[in-house]
């Protein structure tokens, strides 16, 4: 079943959303991402003559561009109250280049990832990146580069946002306060979740993440969840479901 076939009033995804300790906040925003490659072209040829004729080392050029981009480039973005830090930019997510010893490197590339915030369009990210790269070309005459999306741009979806007055939000906040003893602040989910399918494609208001565990150990070599966080999350889910369904029943009368 594709997400456009789903019918639901709302959804809650049990992804871990916290940075420092479990259940720090309740995210209403699910960021998505634009990833691309910066390809650098040089002179491929026999390495033994590199001291006799002018040759461009694509790996060395790439290193210069990557360093400049990591220190100086940041895409433009609209302000959003739940995303005070703006987009996350990671330059150098992967690096490839060269062929072998004896062959002067004529090609190299590095990956860039931008975790977008609401209102950011991938076309604007590309325009900002290309503007920066063109400026570098004016400094370095031998620099030849190409921008290439890492995935089909047609697959890009905007970050999702759940309104604060969405009924599910209030029910989760009340259940969490009952179980955890504190009112949770509203925030954004740093990564991407299935909210992009459930809400972005299917139109179902989706809270992108509220669950046990820490996002800081995700994708690491030793992912784990604290056992003492499992029971509270299950309790919050149960209380939320009961109060939400009771509320929907009252409204349906």
């Amino acid at each position: 079943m594709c997400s456009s076939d789903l019918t639901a009033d709302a959804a809650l995804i049990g992804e871990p959303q916290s940075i420092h300790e479990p259940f720090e906040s309740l995210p209403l925003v699910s960021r998505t991402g634009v990833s691309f490659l910066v390809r650098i072209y040089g002179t491929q040829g026999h390495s033994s003559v590199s001291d006799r004729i002018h040759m461009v080392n694509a790996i060395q050029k790439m290193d210069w561009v990557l360093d400049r981009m990591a220190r100086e480039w940041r895409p433009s973005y609209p302000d959003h109250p739940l995303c005070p830090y703006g987009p996350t930019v990671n330059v150098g997510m992967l690096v490839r280049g060269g062929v072998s010893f004896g062959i002067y490197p004529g090609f190299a590339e590095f990956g860039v990832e931008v975790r977008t915030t609401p209102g950011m369009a991938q076309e604007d990210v590309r325009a900002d990146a290309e503007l920066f790269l063109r400026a570098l070309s004016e400094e370095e005459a031998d620099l030849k580069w190409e921008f290439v999306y890492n995935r089909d741009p047609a697959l890009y979806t905007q970050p999702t946002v759940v309104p604060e007055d969405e009924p599910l939000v209030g029910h989760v906040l009340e259940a969490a306060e009952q179980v955890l003893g504190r009112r949770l602040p509203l925030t954004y989910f740093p990564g991407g979740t299935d909210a992009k399918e459930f809400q972005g494609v299917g139109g179902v208001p989706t809270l992108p993440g509220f669950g046990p565990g820490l996002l800081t150990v995700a994708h690491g070599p030793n992912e784990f969840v604290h056992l003492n966080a499992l029971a509270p999350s299950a309790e919050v889910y149960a209380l939320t479901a009961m109060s939400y369904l009771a509320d929907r029943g009252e409204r349906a009368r």
Side-chain angles (χ1 to χ4, degrees), residues 18-40:
S18 298
I19 303 297
H20 302 291
E21 61 181 27
F23 313 118
E24 289 175 332
S25 60
L26 179 64
L28 303 188
V29 173
S30 177
R31 299 199 296 181
T32 53
V34 175
S35 56
F36 59 90
L37 301 170
V38 177
R39 292 178 173 169
I40 307 296

Side-chain angles (χ1 to χ4, degrees), residues 24-169:
E24 289 175 332
S25 60
L26 179 64
L28 303 188
V29 173
S30 177
R31 299 199 296 181
T32 53
V34 175
S35 56
F36 59 90
L37 301 170
V38 177
R39 292 178 173 169
I40 307 296
Y41 296 94
T43 310
Q44 183 167 315
H46 205 294
S47 61
S48 67
V49 297
S50 62
D51 59 342
R52 304 292 301 275
I53 63 173
H54 178 67
M55 302 179 75
V56 177
N57 187 315
I59 292 178
Q60 292 177 357
K61 291 293 182 187
M62 179 195 68
D63 178 63
W64 179 73
V65 174
L66 190 157
D67 177 66
R68 290 287 299 272
M69 200 167 195
R71 289 188 291 110
E72 302 172 20
W73 181 72
R74 189 167 175 82
S76 57
Y77 61 94
D79 291 331
H80 192 280
L82 295 179
C83 302
Y85 305 109
T88 301
V89 179
N90 290 300
V91 177
M93 295 296 285
L94 56 84
V95 173
R96 292 188 285 253
V99 178
S100 181
F101 290 98
I103 303 174
Y104 206 72
F107 173 80
E109 65 181 7
F110 64 90
V112 180
E113 178 194 76
V114 179
R115 296 286 183 163
T116 53
T117 55
M120 292 184 71
Q122 64 178 344
E123 296 83 4
D124 295 333
V125 174
R126 176 172 188 161
D128 289 341
E130 291 184 333
L131 181 65
F132 181 84
L133 293 168
R134 282 194 293 270
L136 292 185
S137 296
E138 294 178 1
E139 296 183 34
E140 191 69 30
D142 286 336
L143 179 60
K144 294 180 175 58
W145 56 269
E146 180 184 10
F147 177 104
V148 180
Y149 282 119
N150 185 48
R151 62 198 298 252
D152 185 350
L155 298 177
Y156 178 74
T157 56
Q158 279 283 336
T160 62
V161 183
V162 176
E164 291 187 30
D165 60 358
E166 164 61 38
L168 181 61
V169 174

